Amino acid sequence: MPRYVVVSNDGRRFRISPEALQLTELMALKDDASSATSNEADEPEQVELNAPVEGSTLQLLLEWCEHYRHPQQPPTIPDGDWGKMKISDWDTNFLRSLNNCELQQLTMAAKHLKVRPLLALCIRYIYTAYVRDQTVEKIRMFFGEVDDFSYEEKEYMRYEREWLNGNDVF
């Protein structure tokens, strides 16, 4: 079975199976770029990244892809309802093992490489673990955002957006 090598932005090389590679957009890039070239059976084919992904993050993403290469199916969002999305114990443990920075980087890597099931899983996990039922201050702390608005600016924004609350819009 042919295997592929993916090289991260920092030069780290990772072997990946064709089944796992199909969960990303990299397989389409590989098919477009190298369909005419032949490769020896023992030498893995190199696949170039088109996104800014560091080695530690790529390793996590590829670990997730290898887990779901088959027969397991990655999580899906039934009928577009995020509330019905089933998260396996493996996924929960995988995401819990990450710190905030790793989780955010993995989410961005899944977005750049179009690993849609992993992106949906990360977003759902971030929402349930860090956003839902949290104060604005805690959410800002998680995302590393600084509240640099003055009191007057905040009051003006509340005034401008008063119509969002449904107060006599039409």
Side-chain angles (χ1 to χ4, degrees):
M1 170 169 61
R3 292 189 60 89
Y4 300 93
V5 172
V6 181
V7 182
S8 66
N9 283 1
D10 54 1
R12 292 181 57 191
R13 299 169 58 84
F14 299 95
R15 287 183 176 251
I16 184 171
S17 66
E19 298 86 6
L21 190 63
Q22 287 182 348
L23 290 171
T24 73
E25 73 165 9
L26 297 175
M27 189 60 146
L29 293 174
K30 192 262 339 151
D31 289 341
D32 292 342
S34 63
S35 58
T37 62
S38 63
N39 200 354
E40 294 182 22
D42 294 337
E43 188 177 324
E45 187 173 340
Q46 185 166 318
V47 180
E48 296 297 325
L49 284 182
N50 65 341
V53 180
E54 297 299 319
S56 58
T57 306
L58 183 60
Q59 183 176 7
L60 292 169
L61 185 136
L62 296 179
E63 177 185 345
W64 187 88
C65 289
E66 286 290 347
H67 176 75
Y68 281 111
R69 62 183 173 164
H70 71 254
Q72 302 103 331
Q73 290 297 312
T76 59
I77 305 169
D79 303 322
D81 186 354
W82 289 65
K84 293 180 183 175
M85 182 179 180
K86 302 254 188 274
I87 300 176
S88 71
D89 290 339
W90 188 89
D91 286 323
T92 301
N93 292 333
F94 177 75
L95 294 173
R96 279 186 184 157
S97 71
L98 306 177
N99 63 39
N100 292 353
C101 184
E102 290 171 327
L103 182 57
Q104 290 177 25
Q105 289 174 351
L106 181 62
T107 304
M108 293 307 297
K111 177 182 178 267
H112 288 305
L113 298 176
K114 294 183 175 69
V115 185
R116 286 174 174 73
L118 179 58
L119 177 60
L121 178 70
C122 288
I123 291 171
R124 168 73 188 216
Y125 182 77
I126 289 170
Y127 172 74
T128 57
Y130 297 102
V131 175
R132 183 176 54 191
D133 302 327
Q134 296 297 321
T135 64
V136 172
E137 290 78 22
K138 287 186 179 182
I139 295 169
R140 277 195 184 115
M141 189 168 57
F142 173 76
F143 288 108
E145 295 295 322
V146 178
D147 180 11
D148 57 355
F149 292 108
S150 69
Y151 176 78
E152 291 80 17
E153 289 171 320
K154 288 179 187 177
E155 286 301 312
Y156 182 71
M157 284 188 281
R158 282 189 198 97
Y159 172 75
E160 275 188 329
R161 290 171 177 77
E162 206 170 277
W163 64 271
L164 287 174
N165 297 328
N167 299 335
D168 300 319
V169 177
F170 294 102

